[in-house]
Amino acid sequence: MGASNPGAPWGPMLVRSAVAAVYGVLTIFWQEPTEPVLVVAGGTYLLLTGVALWPMLAAARDHGRVRAVLLVEAAAYVLAGAATLIFASAEAFRVAAAAALILGGVLEILLWVRNRGSFLPARDWLITGAAALTAGILVPVVYELGVRALLGVTGGAAIITAVIVVISALGARHDSRAATAGRA
């Protein structure tokens, strides 16, 4: 791919990072979260993560099966968020978040294996996929510890995702602008 990547989807990457960062910060600073906080914050985070992945579909158009896999991942997050918000319980979050995070994590790791050299966002998917997969596995394990534990596990994964993706997005943005300036 080279050092510059003028077609990199840095905008959608920044949106995904912002969604994860807001949720992660909320989970850190909310002192005594209740089940309704988990439902609204967790459900909204899952829903918006799926929505934030949607614009990547256009960027992945020329990258084999990446688009189809991203569509599955985005749909899983949107459905998990909607289910959490509709059923409005910690139990709904446990089931939906675990399923979406495990599926999303596995898909991102597979995409990383197959596309890390040809599609810029795929370079981050080993770390973001591992963070999501780990959180998805831990959600049912920490469920009995309460709302704070559920928010802590998912918020921790969100912070990791936010940091990794924002660094990559800003690098892609810089490379894109440098490439544009070089052509002018």
Side-chain angles (χ1 to χ4, degrees):
M1 181 166 260
S4 67
N5 192 5
W10 58 267
M13 292 167 69
L14 282 175
V15 171
R16 181 179 186 196
S17 178
V19 167
V22 167
Y23 178 70
V25 167
L26 178 104
T27 65
I28 291 169
F29 291 109
W30 199 290
Q31 292 299 309
E32 295 183 33
T34 59
E35 188 171 359
V37 170
L38 171 69
V39 167
V40 172
T44 302
Y45 167 65
L46 294 168
L47 183 70
L48 292 179
T49 296
V51 171
L53 287 168
W54 204 263
M56 292 287 241
L57 297 174
R61 181 163 300 158
D62 298 325
H63 296 280
R65 292 192 169 158
V66 173
R67 185 178 175 152
V69 174
L70 280 176
L71 178 61
V72 170
E73 182 182 13
Y77 279 114
V78 166
L79 291 173
T84 298
L85 293 167
I86 290 167
F87 294 109
S89 69
E91 176 66 23
F93 179 79
R94 177 181 76 143
V95 172
L101 289 166
I102 290 170
L103 178 61
V106 167
L107 292 177
E108 286 189 9
I109 291 168
L110 289 173
L111 286 172
W112 173 80
V113 167
R114 294 184 179 162
N115 300 284
R116 67 184 176 268
S118 63
F119 187 52
L120 179 85
R123 296 176 190 173
D124 304 325
W125 287 337
L126 175 62
I127 298 170
T128 60
L133 178 59
T134 302
I137 291 168
L138 288 176
V139 161
V141 173
V142 303
Y143 176 72
E144 294 299 323
L145 298 175
V147 169
R148 187 132 181 89
L150 291 170
L151 287 168
V153 166
T154 56
I159 291 291
I160 291 168
T161 297
V163 170
I164 295 300
V165 175
V166 77
I167 290 168
S168 184
L170 292 175
R173 181 177 182 264
H174 176 269
D175 290 349
S176 176
R177 292 190 180 224
T180 302
R183 286 191 299 245

